[in-house]
Amino acid sequence: MVSLPTAVVIGAGGGIGGAFVAALRNTGRYGRIHAFARTPPTSFSSVFGGQINVTNEESIAAAAMTVGSPVDLVLIATGMLHEGGRMPEKALRELDANTLARIFEVNTIGPALALKHFSPLLPKDRRAMIGVISARVGSISDNRSGGWFGYRASKAALNMIVKSAAIEIARSRPEAVCVALHPGTVDTRLSLPFQHGVAPDRLFSPERAARQLLDVIDGLKPIDTGKVFGWDGEEIQP
């Protein structure tokens, strides 16, 4: 009997991460779904909750150890835009070293360490996927308004991490695809202060965002590895 694939969602406590878990379970395609978050989600049916703190490498390594078996899909859905009442910078004079360090810790270093510990779990003999939540504002060529220094830079750096990881992963796992994903504007706490100018048809529920991104992932091939894709399947240039 052929066993069903295994999936991992890191950041399952967030809006998009939680929606990923529900969407994957509803497909019936996965025999095991490991859902990791700071506060472990409840385990039920094919979903197995586990604790992770992406700002602590020991926690990431321990989470990967609990999975064990080959993993066919890894989704890294962690990130921050604002914290503790501090909003994204609008000008250079607002830059703060501690805030910049914090946003890089969460948006860049955490996902990089997750790639370090979870990519070795991908099978070598079949298709496997890694999707990392990024953002269109991480595109340098698409930046026409400035501002949001820390968030933009941390996502641009994340996209480079994904690119380099994809090159390395392909050497031993030629059928694997590792990409960064832009979910659009999703109705979560992260985007709440910035939704006023978003057209209603472009403000996605977490459930819709998760389905759209999973559809994008399903259509990707090894030639797409290392790239950044939007919710609509269009490639986003660096």
Side-chain angles (χ1 to χ4, degrees), residues 2 5-6 10 22 30 54 56-57 69 74 87 102 106 113 120 125 146 171 184 187 192 201 220 235:
V2 179
T6 296
I10 298 171
Y30 294 89
V54 296
N56 182 301
E57 185 171 4
S69 59
V74 177
M87 293 292 107
R102 171 63 176 166
V106 175
L113 294 174
D125 60 347
R171 292 174 184 148
D187 189 10
L192 189 60
D201 63 338
L220 298 180
E235 182 181 353

Side-chain angles (χ1 to χ4, degrees), residues 32-189:
R32 294 178 68 88
I33 301 166
H34 295 271
F36 291 106
R38 276 180 172 271
T39 301
T42 302
S43 298
F44 60 95
S45 183
S46 59
V47 177
F48 300 85
Q51 188 171 33
I52 198 168
N53 177 356
V54 296
T55 65
N56 182 301
E57 185 171 4
E58 290 184 0
S59 171
I60 297 170
M65 286 288 291
T66 67
V67 177
S69 59
V71 176
D72 301 274
L73 173 64
V74 177
L75 297 169
I76 303 173
T78 57
M80 65 168 282
L81 174 57
H82 51 87
E83 184 178 61
R86 193 173 185 94
M87 293 292 107
E89 317 93 342
K90 295 181 180 180
L92 284 168
R93 64 179 176 274
E94 297 177 14
L95 291 177
D96 173 78
N98 291 331
T99 302
L100 286 171
R102 171 63 176 166
I103 201 164
F104 269 83
E105 180 185 39
V106 175
N107 287 351
T108 311
I109 299 171
L113 294 174
L115 286 168
K116 171 185 175 180
H117 289 283
F118 281 87
S119 62
L121 303 181
L122 299 178
K124 295 183 177 182
D125 60 347
R126 62 180 185 268
R127 185 179 189 270
M129 297 290 309
I130 299 179
V132 184
I133 295 297
S134 185
R136 181 178 294 277
V137 296
S139 168
I140 295 173
S141 61
D142 193 54
N143 182 0
R144 296 177 178 84
S145 59
W148 289 32
F149 290 88
Y151 189 70
R152 285 185 185 276
S154 66
K155 291 298 187 178
L158 174 61
N159 294 344
M160 182 59 81
I161 293 286
V162 169
K163 175 65 175 181
S164 291
I167 292 171
E168 179 175 330
I169 291 167
R171 292 174 184 148
S172 58
R173 294 163 173 82
E175 294 186 62
V177 179
C178 177
V179 294
L181 299 166
H182 166 59
T185 303
V186 185
D187 189 10
T188 64
R189 285 178 296 176

